[in-house]
Amino acid sequence: AAAAAHRGFGVEAGDRWLSVFRARDGVLTCVETPCPHAGHRLCDGYAADPVDVEDLVSDVGVLISCPAHSYVYDTKSGSCLASF
């Protein structure tokens, strides 16, 4: 199954909530849960593994899409790579 079908899960760490995602190679990665755009839970979005998009984008972590507005974030840099 494609990694894009994988969802994350939320974890409380002290006073913060994190969205955790697992890459195809088993490595866990996380970002703070609220979407920087509008505060929605990123852990409810979908994840795409870098191998799914390596021909399009290089040197990225797991890519996650916000379930509310489909903004795409790179877990390696925290940058927003696309907004629709």
Side-chain angles (χ1 to χ4, degrees):
H6 296 316
R7 286 200 169 196
F9 58 92
V11 174
E12 186 176 11
D15 62 348
R16 292 188 163 157
W17 278 92
L18 303 175
S19 291
V20 181
F21 297 87
R22 183 182 303 275
R24 279 190 183 164
D25 62 7
V27 174
L28 294 175
T29 185
C30 68
V31 294
E32 288 194 51
T33 292
C35 173
H37 167 244
H40 295 279
R41 290 171 36 101
L42 290 175
C43 59
D44 293 335
Y46 289 96
D49 202 283
V51 297
D52 294 332
V53 294
E54 63 190 359
D55 292 335
L56 303 174
V57 182
S58 61
D59 195 35
V60 295
V62 173
L63 303 179
I64 54 175
S65 64
C66 177
H69 300 108
S70 300
Y71 279 46
V72 177
Y73 297 95
D74 172 16
T75 59
K76 186 172 184 180
S77 69
S79 298
C80 179
L81 301 180
S83 59
F84 301 97

